[in-house]
Amino acid sequence: MRPLWRCRGCGALWPCQPARLALLAEYRHDRVALLVYLGTMMAEAGDQLARLNGRPADLHERFVGWARGRGGTMFHVNHEPGAEIHHTDPFAVPAGQRSPARQLRGRLAAPVTVWTAPGPAGLTVSSTLVAEGEPDRLLGLIDAESDLWAAIEESGRFAVTPLGPPHRQLADRFAGLFPAPGGLFATGAWLETPYGPVPADAGGWAGCRLDTAREYGWALLVEATIEAVDLAEEAAPLLHYRGRYHELPD
């Protein structure tokens, strides 16, 4: 999230541990392209952070240094056919240094949704809650500095789409964990609605009218009225638990 350059998902300095692993996987065959991308992000971050508190001294190591190859290859990635990223995370914060509240949050399985608004703008959100009533309401925690919030604030409405297992990469893209050449909505099929674009292959979506928003912890608590619900056939949900995506067992 700009201009603080912290991860929208975990609040850590970007690129955080999950972002680094995702970038290594995305650019596993093109280290030069990864370094160019990170260098571009470093220049943008340096300019924005300098306006806040002065340019940090460690930006090069934070953005570029970790991604440099050793012996001509990218570390942590096995290039053998069929290989996968190692199960261990070399950038993980030691267990004894992790926030107890963050550990608690990680143990609460949450549905993965994408919020979109006219503009268009969007963001992956794993803190969505529906409250039945007259009228029905919806709540969620989002990044106050995100493009999504700016679009919601301007239009007064937004769409919420529950994601399924096929949407893992979409969720990462809207969470800022994967690059999005051409913009967030350049990939995939989208259905235009008065509340914002929604994935055409999703199991349904809800159109919401913004009621109010207020700071809540490090996030923004958004409260809205559900004005429209469009549900297709029931689909399996995508869940986020302990920093990873999960699916319900068959």
Side-chain angles (χ1 to χ4, degrees), residues 137-140 149 152 158 209-214 220-225:
R137 306 288 301 282
L138 181 140
L139 302 90
W149 171 240
I152 292 176
F158 60 96
R209 184 188 74 246
L210 175 65
D211 292 330
T212 186
R214 58 191 173 95
L220 190 71
L221 176 61
V222 174
E223 301 180 25
T225 295

Side-chain angles (χ1 to χ4, degrees), residues 63-238:
F63 278 83
V64 180
W66 64 269
R68 291 194 178 279
R70 297 176 181 174
T73 60
M74 289 179 60
F75 68 87
H76 195 59
V77 176
N78 184 345
H79 294 283
E80 293 299 319
E84 298 180 353
I85 294 178
H86 301 172
H87 70 281
T88 56
D89 181 352
F91 310 109
V93 176
Q97 299 178 22
R98 297 172 188 168
S99 161
R102 181 170 295 174
Q103 293 182 62
L104 173 60
R105 184 183 67 177
R107 297 185 185 187
L108 301 176
V112 181
T113 67
V114 65
W115 291 26
T116 54
L123 185 67
T124 300
V125 180
S126 59
S127 57
T128 303
L129 180 66
V130 173
E132 292 182 273
E134 296 182 359
D136 298 320
R137 306 288 301 282
L138 181 140
L139 302 90
L141 295 172
I142 68 171
D143 175 13
E145 298 178 356
S146 65
D147 293 338
L148 171 70
W149 171 240
I152 292 176
E153 199 171 24
E154 180 177 349
S155 66
R157 61 189 188 277
F158 60 96
V160 174
T161 304
L163 300 183
H167 299 123
R168 290 172 181 245
Q169 187 168 337
L170 183 151
D172 277 346
R173 190 166 75 247
F174 276 74
L177 298 179
F178 272 96
L184 293 175
F185 299 89
T187 303
W190 296 88
L191 174 66
E192 294 297 329
T193 80
Y195 301 90
V198 298
D201 60 346
W205 57 275
C208 303
R209 184 188 74 246
L210 175 65
D211 292 330
T212 186
R214 58 191 173 95
E215 291 185 4
Y216 206 78
W218 287 352
L220 190 71
L221 176 61
V222 174
E223 301 180 25
T225 295
I226 299 176
E227 294 187 329
V229 176
D230 186 340
L231 296 178
E233 61 183 50
E234 187 171 355
L238 181 63

